[in-house]
């Protein structure tokens, strides 16, 4: 809920209340300050007491389990004992040492763990406070294309609000770029905000006049908007 008196968002948790106060940027955030000690049992500590040869054999046993489809430790021991795998260099002692050093096999646990019933999700929508809308009514968006494994994605970020959007682009054709930019504009429009300027590079120049009233600010060939880099 939004506390108009404190100018903050208050989230009531099961054990405590978290308050998101207004930051100097005009947005809301919560500064988490928590200190504690967590004792972790590492693999290196578990290898103490075993010889390097035993540790190497344990690693080989885990690799063999993975190559065989990650059977359970009990099934793997039966396969070794009954000689079901020809010329298998893994011994029963190596399987035992591997279980002691590495613990249960992660792949085996993932494959045999049943799915738990998820909690009910309440699609609650919180209205944006009018103070934020009035201060950020006109939005400047910086957009550019980013490539991941050769696939183009349209990435944008807005000044002051710093909302980041990412959408896949089937191609770099004008029609696809126009559709992507219009989707960005509609995201802000649904919240009552107006995108007035879009800062882009030269590849977006053909979109002039094609995305409504948005002023397209195209950078020079050797320039880039620092926010999106």
């Amino acid at each position: 809920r939004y506390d108009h008196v404190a100018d903050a968002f208050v989230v009531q948790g099961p054990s405590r209340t978290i308050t998101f106060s207004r930051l100097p940027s005009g947005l809301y955030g919560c500064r988490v300050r928590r200190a504690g000690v967590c004792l972790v049992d590492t693999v290196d500590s578990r290898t103490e007491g075993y010889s390097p040869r035993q540790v190497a054999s344990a690693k080989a046993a885990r690799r063999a389990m993975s190559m065989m489809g990650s059977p359970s430790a009990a099934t793997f021991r039966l396969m070794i004992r009954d000689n079901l795998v020809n010329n298998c260099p893994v011994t029963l002692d190596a399987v035992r040492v591997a279980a002691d050093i590495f613990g249960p096999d992660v792949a085996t646990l993932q494959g045999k763990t049943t799915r738990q019933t998820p909690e009910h999700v309440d699609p609650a929508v919180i209205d944006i406070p009018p103070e934020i809308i009035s201060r950020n009514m006109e939005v400047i968006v910086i957009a550019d294309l980013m490539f991941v494994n050769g696939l183009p994605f349209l990435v944008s970020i807005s000044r002051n609000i710093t909302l980041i959007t990412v959408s896949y682009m089937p191609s770099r054709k004008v029609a696809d770029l126009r559709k992507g930019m219009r989707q960005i504009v509609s995201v802000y429009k649904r919240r009552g905000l107006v995108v007035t300027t879009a800062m882009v590079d030269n590849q977006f120049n053909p979109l002039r006049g094609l995305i409504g009233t948005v002023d397209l600010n195209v950078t020079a060939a050797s320039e880039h908007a620092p926010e999106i880099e």
Side-chain angles (χ1 to χ4, degrees), residues 31-48:
R31 301 185 183 276
V32 180
R33 297 178 180 177
R34 179 181 298 177
V37 177
C38 180
L39 301 179
V40 179
D41 190 12
T42 62
V43 172
D44 286 339
S45 64
R46 301 288 297 179
T47 58
E48 295 179 359

Side-chain angles (χ1 to χ4, degrees), residues 37 43 64 103-104 112 117 127 131 133 145-146 156 165 177 185 190-191 193 201:
V37 177
V43 172
K112 297 184 178 181
T117 304
D127 294 332
E131 294 85 354
I133 296 179
L145 285 178
M146 177 182 68
S156 74
T165 65
L177 293 178
V185 173
R190 286 197 297 267
R191 287 297 186 172
L193 305 176
D201 57 19

Side-chain angles (χ1 to χ4, degrees), residues 46-47 50-51 53-59 61-62 91-103:
R46 301 288 297 179
T47 58
Y50 292 105
S51 66
R53 183 184 296 274
Q54 287 178 306
V55 175
S57 298
K59 293 180 179 180
R62 279 301 164 92
T91 62
L92 292 175
D93 184 68
V95 178
R96 178 189 63 80
V97 174
D100 185 48
I101 294 177
F102 304 107

Side-chain angles (χ1 to χ4, degrees), residues 139-168:
V139 180
I140 298 177
V141 171
I142 302 94
D144 199 357
L145 285 178
M146 177 182 68
F147 292 87
V148 179
N149 292 333
L151 300 177
F153 290 84
L154 179 59
V155 183
S156 74
I157 184 173
S158 56
R159 287 184 176 175
N160 299 328
I161 301 177
T162 62
L163 173 67
I164 300 175
T165 65
V166 181
S167 58
Y168 168 70

Side-chain angles (χ1 to χ4, degrees), residues 153-222:
F153 290 84
L154 179 59
V155 183
S156 74
I157 184 173
S158 56
R159 287 184 176 175
N160 299 328
I161 301 177
T162 62
L163 173 67
I164 300 175
T165 65
V166 181
S167 58
Y168 168 70
M169 291 284 98
S171 69
R172 289 187 286 175
K173 296 180 180 179
V174 174
D176 290 328
L177 293 178
R178 177 189 179 188
K179 181 179 179 181
M181 292 298 297
R182 284 190 168 184
Q183 289 176 344
I184 294 173
V185 173
S186 66
V187 169
Y188 295 93
K189 186 177 180 180
R190 286 197 297 267
R191 287 297 186 172
L193 305 176
V194 179
V195 177
T196 59
T197 305
M199 301 185 65
V200 293
D201 57 19
N202 193 51
Q203 62 183 328
F204 291 85
N205 194 44
L207 298 182
R208 288 187 181 275
L210 299 181
I211 48 178
T213 59
V214 179
D215 181 22
L216 211 61
N217 190 327
V218 180
T219 60
S222 59

